[in-house]
Amino acid sequence: MSTTTEDFIDPFQQQSGRSRNPSETPLLPPGEVDSYTRRPSWTSPPSPTFPFRRVSGSKRPVSPLLGPVLRRGWKLVLALSLPLLLIILYSLLLDRVDGLPSLPKISVHYDYSGNPGWVSAAADASRLGGASALAQGTGGGRCTCAATDDGKRMCDVYGAEGLERSRLVQGSGARMKRMLARAQAGKDIKIGVLGGSVSACHGVHPRTEEFPKGDKAGAACYTTLVTDWFKRTFPQSNVELSNGAVGGTDSSYHSFCGTHHIAHDSDLIILDFDVNDQPEKAYQQFFDQLLRVLLELDHEPAVVILGAWAPLVAKDYGYGDSVIVHLPIAHYYDVPYISLKRLMFNHFLRFPYSTARSFYQLDRVHPNSRGHRILADLLISYFDTELCLLASHGVPEATSRTDTLATTEPFSSFVDIPFPMDTLFIDDPSSAPEGWDETFDEDLLPLLLSESRRFVVPTSPFSVPPVGLFTPLSEVNDPTQPDPIDPNSLLYLPQPDLFCADSNDPVNPMRPQSSEGWTEFVWNKEKHYWVSDKVGARIRVNIKANEGRVAVYYFRSQHYHLGDAKCWVDDNEKGAKTLRGHWDLEINVPVVEYIDEKLYAGDHFVTCEIAETTSHPTDPDAHHFRIVAIMAT
């Protein structure tokens, strides 16, 4: 059955007030009149001068408009002043009388050149697809449907509310605005993509001998559509895409090895892991580490998370998929998070078959070309909004760490408690320490205006928090001891230093020191492994540890007849960790599992051996095992 354009638009069309006429333009050249608001543009030229005449007996010229005023006197003055007086009276009564409607407001809208145009709030709300767009404080407000053809088209299709809901985290957008400002200035822009098979564009284009799973640079891939938008929007910039997505990989792999697959001087990095990551605690550490590593690259790239939701993942996890892992981490690092799920989920509940067939391939995991169009549109809409906000507010200023984390100023006198700090609780308020009641005296709150408020001043929006989201603060400080004397103490904290012996590394692939019974295997010219199905076969890989944790990235599946392997570090074979290839989940993906920790910093080696036993429930001869990478921090 064929699918029409209406079928594509209808599921996401928002009924949000007056339909916007595509011919309407929010900003006009100086002097032209907006056909909707009937108001001249903000930069209209001055009105022409009137001819002057002289009043008899006077040497001063008098405007012909002033003569009637002088003749009619106070009556005309009162008539002209009466509307203003009524408005002032109404505004005084507005806060004192319930039920009175608010006065109409005037708002300023900016185009990408920074030129403001005055429009009424009602007209602005109608143009943007509903008043709710104006009420969204974190979603860009009037910038949700920004003043470009792409912005208008996407608001027509998805509605302002649909676009707002897709932005799980909007954030400050500091790095994004800085990157877009560079693009506007004609600087070269490098875009990197890390993810799994969705970003690798599996199945969207016809398979060829060169691309057995489909060309990940194909015209319908969301990565190509986004790159084309950058080239079209910033024609003076040289835009380069580095698609480092590897099918079947998740954030656990890329948190160690992802920088092997994109340029280290990328300006923008798109992350796509909602389908392959799992809602498990282990992924908190992996995704946190991934964001820290990318944000701390010397080029300080802008990073955006793209949630490519899939119906098959919902079969196992419902709504609570990996978003419950990614969302708090995105908030913590101020990284925008754009999700397809918020747009698609309820519609899928009502029309599961039709929605899956319309936007996904038959596996219900990989989006088809229409699904990729939506992914691209959601990203482009976000970039479009950030461009609008950039024109309105510019690039945020960087706050020096010497004014926040590394301040040399003493602890605020206002926050300082005026009674003994070792008081645990007060049994009898009549015997409370002197000044105790001042700690909750509201009359003292205005003192906040005169104190430094270091406890609310954020660090630079471009900087990375000094500790990971899940780092126990017992490893960082001790509130029972005096404050550190060194103001730079937080700047010296150790950060992740990664090592990855990676089979998929296109430049320096993993080369074992020795291997007996193991061979290299490439699946569909894309996924690289070291594999064996011979019991007792051993492989040895040299590694370098810093923090002393070592992990193995290996393949797991319910459908492939996979066995187990034992892996250990150096000569600690007695402390070997058993890695099980079989599991009961529907998905077939590699996973990371730590095999040792607390090693001394320096050189080590890892040995893996095919185990005699197998965890496969029905096949006692299942011994096949696949290793993707050996990792360490």
Side-chain angles (χ1 to χ4, degrees), residues 516-518 531-539 562-566 568 608-615 619-625:
E516 301 171 1
W518 291 75
V531 304
S532 178
D533 52 13
K534 182 180 179 182
V535 173
R538 288 191 175 189
I539 186 171
L562 301 180
D564 304 340
K566 298 185 299 180
W568 61 92
C608 288
E609 177 183 280
I610 300 297
E612 295 182 7
T613 58
T614 179
S615 58
D619 185 0
D621 296 323
H623 296 294
H624 186 73
F625 199 84

Side-chain angles (χ1 to χ4, degrees), residues 107-395:
S107 60
V108 180
H109 173 74
Y110 288 80
D111 66 8
Y112 290 168
S113 62
N115 298 321
W118 293 94
V119 296
S120 69
D124 205 24
S126 176
R127 179 180 61 79
L128 298 180
S132 62
L134 291 174
Q136 299 290 340
T138 60
R142 289 173 298 278
C143 284
T144 300
C145 302
T148 68
D149 291 339
D150 286 308
K152 295 172 185 177
R153 173 183 63 81
M154 285 179 282
C155 269
D156 285 342
V157 175
Y158 308 103
E161 291 187 7
L163 295 175
E164 289 282 358
R165 285 174 57 80
S166 73
R167 299 167 190 177
L168 302 186
V169 177
Q170 182 92 12
S172 70
R175 290 194 179 204
M176 200 63 63
K177 293 181 183 67
R178 185 173 62 182
M179 181 273 297
L180 293 171
R182 285 174 51 83
Q184 284 183 326
K187 304 293 185 180
D188 293 348
I189 297 298
K190 293 184 179 181
I191 303 174
V193 178
L194 296 179
S197 54
V198 172
S199 289
C201 207
H202 279 194
V204 177
H205 294 87
R207 302 185 182 191
T208 63
E209 183 177 349
E210 184 179 2
F211 303 107
K213 298 298 293 184
D215 184 4
K216 66 179 180 180
C221 302
Y222 87 82
T223 52
T224 302
L225 297 173
V226 168
T227 304
D228 289 344
W229 178 84
F230 269 89
K231 293 178 179 179
R232 185 171 66 252
T233 307
F234 309 108
Q236 302 303 319
S237 296
N238 178 34
V239 181
E240 177 183 335
L241 172 68
S242 176
N243 191 340
V246 180
T249 60
D250 57 19
S251 67
S252 65
Y253 165 77
H254 288 279
S255 67
F256 289 90
C257 312
T259 54
H260 294 172
H261 301 277
I262 58 173
H264 283 206
D265 59 347
S266 294
D267 299 280
L268 169 66
I269 300 176
I270 302 172
L271 305 180
D272 151 43
F273 296 109
D274 273 23
V275 171
N276 284 5
D277 276 11
Q278 301 164 45
E280 296 180 359
K281 187 175 181 179
Y283 281 87
Q284 295 176 343
Q285 299 290 343
F286 298 138
F287 200 69
D288 181 272
Q289 178 172 289
L290 173 63
L291 288 189
R292 292 194 71 83
V293 169
L294 297 179
L295 292 171
E296 288 178 341
L297 290 175
D298 292 340
H299 204 58
E300 294 186 340
V303 178
V304 59
I305 303 167
L306 177 63
W309 175 79
L312 187 64
V313 176
K315 178 181 178 181
D316 286 330
Y317 298 117
Y319 193 90
D321 53 22
S322 58
V323 69
I324 67 176
V325 173
H326 297 162
L327 189 56
I329 301 174
H331 274 293
Y332 183 66
Y333 289 103
D334 189 29
V335 171
Y337 191 171
I338 314 301
S339 174
L340 173 67
K341 181 168 64 175
R342 289 290 295 274
L343 200 70
M344 188 83 72
F345 190 81
N346 286 347
H347 201 67
F348 177 75
L349 291 178
R350 173 63 180 87
F351 302 105
Y353 176 81
S354 299
T355 303
R357 287 297 301 271
S358 295
F359 303 107
Y360 292 87
Q361 300 174 40
L362 294 180
D363 60 10
R364 290 175 287 118
V365 173
H366 299 95
N368 58 21
S369 58
R370 300 173 80 192
H372 272 262
R373 177 74 261 182
I374 298 177
L375 290 173
D377 279 353
L378 296 183
L379 281 175
I380 292 171
S381 174
Y382 167 72
F383 297 141
D384 203 52
T385 293
E386 289 299 316
L387 266 177
C388 177
L389 294 173
L390 172 64
S392 301
H393 307 293
V395 178

